[in-house]
Amino acid sequence: MNLIESSKKTFNNFQRQFTAFIAPYNLSKAADIYSHDEWPRLRFAHRYQSHFAPLKWKKLKILAIGVGGYEDHTYGGEALKTWKTYFPNSMVYGLDIIDKRYLEEDRIKIFHCDQNDEYLIQEVLAETGELDIIIEDGSSANEHHIKAFHTFFPALKDGGIYAAENIHHSYWPSLKDGKWSNLAKDSLELQNWINVGGSLDLNDPKTVMNMFKRLVDGLNYEEFLNPKYTPSYFDKHIVSIHFYHNLVILYKGINNEKSNFIENNQLQPFVLETLGVKSLEELDLDFSKIDNKRSEEYTKSN
């Protein structure tokens, strides 16, 4: 790099830092500090803005699953540095299957760990304690997205936020034939893209997007007319879900707002009286057709 290029780069960096300084609540400006041509700034900064701005000055614990850069030591950690800059009183944790601990600095700690290793993850969570924000951008495989949500969402404090990025892999089927497998043999990045386990079927239950779709119903579990229904952990602990292009943001809390008409998943007496019956059985409803698998699905997170 010649002197002119070096001076230009230094000036551009100063300009970005100054802009972020005079606009402290603008997350996109903070992300621009760590942007460069080969590696774009935090992609979802404009989406996170309204969710994270009220938390900016709080003392938080933030976990990013996936540090970035794969095996390339010249990239990675851009998002961690963005969170450190935007949340000046917070501790930022990163977790990656590639050893990225060389990127650690004040208020940034990185764990070298497979997000699917339940034993090691419990050790990580024992060290971090309850978390305020979790940003999941690790493995592209749908089964890993789903497992990560089951593992990490319970580690949030009430009022905590879980963000699942890059859920476009829900719509990509795995490319398992020999040609693609051979290409990916020596590249973790290509393995990530090829073995995603998504589906062309928009209703395929094994995709992470369809897991989140099912969780939407859980927001209203108090309204379910099914006397045998047992609320899942997620029914009881998700209070809102926000869908964006390629991003889902969930808030944790106590979801116990009562229904006006249903209690314990049965019609209240005044509703039965209005309908002219004394019991639910008299309505001759066929509850055997109700899919009650969602409680079984999430039993391990109770």
Side-chain angles (χ1 to χ4, degrees):
M1 182 183 298
N2 61 40
L3 183 60
I4 294 176
E5 290 176 339
S6 178
S7 298
K8 183 178 180 181
K9 182 176 180 180
T10 300
F11 175 77
N12 288 339
N13 286 339
F14 172 78
Q15 189 176 43
R16 285 196 294 254
Q17 292 182 39
F18 180 74
T19 304
F21 176 76
I22 63 175
Y25 285 94
N26 190 320
L27 181 54
S28 293
K29 298 297 183 186
D32 276 340
I33 297 173
Y34 307 103
S35 173
H36 43 78
D37 293 340
E38 297 85 1
W39 197 268
R41 64 178 172 78
L42 191 68
R43 180 179 177 187
F44 302 107
H46 65 302
R47 298 302 186 194
Y48 288 134
Q49 181 70 47
S50 61
H51 297 277
F52 291 168
L55 306 174
K56 178 175 175 59
W57 302 108
K58 293 183 178 294
K59 190 175 182 179
L60 308 174
K61 292 181 180 179
I62 302 165
L63 172 66
I65 303 169
V67 173
Y70 293 97
E71 295 92 341
D72 191 334
H73 279 223
T74 62
Y75 300 129
E78 290 81 7
L80 300 183
K81 292 177 183 177
T82 298
W83 302 130
K84 174 185 171 179
T85 299
Y86 188 75
F87 296 105
N89 300 311
S90 296
M91 182 67 191
V92 179
Y93 298 98
L95 186 152
D96 204 286
I97 195 170
I98 302 295
D99 191 353
K100 296 286 183 174
R101 287 175 291 183
Y102 60 89
L103 293 170
E104 288 187 341
E105 57 186 61
D106 178 48
R107 292 196 295 111
I108 294 180
K109 179 175 178 58
I110 298 174
F111 298 97
H112 179 207
C113 181
D114 185 338
Q115 69 183 68
N116 299 300
D117 188 323
E118 294 185 20
Y119 177 77
L120 287 180
I121 292 303
Q122 292 311 313
E123 287 191 341
V124 168
L125 295 177
E127 182 169 342
T128 63
E130 283 190 309
L131 297 158
D132 298 281
I133 297 174
I134 298 173
I135 298 155
E136 198 273 305
D137 184 27
S139 169
S140 300
N142 277 259
E143 64 177 305
H144 297 164
H145 272 292
I146 292 169
K147 186 172 183 179
F149 181 73
H150 282 78
T151 301
F152 289 99
F153 183 84
L156 282 171
K157 296 178 181 177
D158 280 347
I161 299 173
Y162 187 99
E165 296 185 354
N166 295 326
I167 56 173
H168 60 279
H169 295 110
S170 287
Y171 311 108
W172 292 16
S174 292
L175 304 172
K176 294 181 178 179
D177 64 55
K179 173 185 174 182
W180 297 107
S181 296
N182 289 335
L183 282 174
K185 185 168 55 176
D186 299 317
S187 170
L188 184 61
E189 182 174 6
L190 278 178
Q191 289 173 31
N192 235 353
W193 289 4
I194 290 171
N195 300 315
V196 294
S199 177
L200 298 177
D201 178 1
L202 299 184
N203 297 309
D204 192 320
K206 74 174 182 291
T207 69
V208 65
M209 188 61 187
N210 275 292
M211 177 192 74
F212 288 129
K213 288 179 186 177
R214 294 195 299 273
L215 292 175
V216 173
D217 285 323
L219 295 172
N220 299 303
Y221 78 90
E222 292 275 9
E223 309 292 347
F224 293 174
L225 185 56
N226 178 6
K228 296 182 179 180
Y229 186 76
T230 301
S232 74
Y233 174 88
F234 297 111
D235 291 338
K236 294 186 287 186
H237 291 281
I238 295 175
V239 294
S240 69
I241 306 177
H242 305 256
F243 288 87
Y244 302 96
H245 177 206
N246 214 5
L247 173 70
V248 179
I249 296 176
L250 306 94
Y251 281 72
K252 186 177 181 183
I254 304 301
N255 183 23
N256 60 0
E257 294 181 21
K258 300 302 180 185
S259 168
N260 290 329
F261 306 101
I262 293 175
E263 186 173 359
N264 296 323
N265 301 109
Q266 300 195 53
L267 292 173
Q268 293 190 35
F270 81 91
V271 180
L272 293 172
E273 184 178 343
T274 301
L275 294 172
V277 297
K278 294 182 179 180
S279 70
L280 196 59
E281 287 74 19
E282 291 182 55
L283 295 176
D284 198 28
L285 300 173
D286 187 357
F287 293 109
S288 66
K289 293 182 179 180
I290 296 177
D291 179 8
N292 199 27
K293 291 182 180 178
R294 66 195 336 271
S295 292
E296 300 168 10
E297 261 183 80
Y298 307 136
T299 298
K300 65 179 179 181
S301 292
N302 274 292

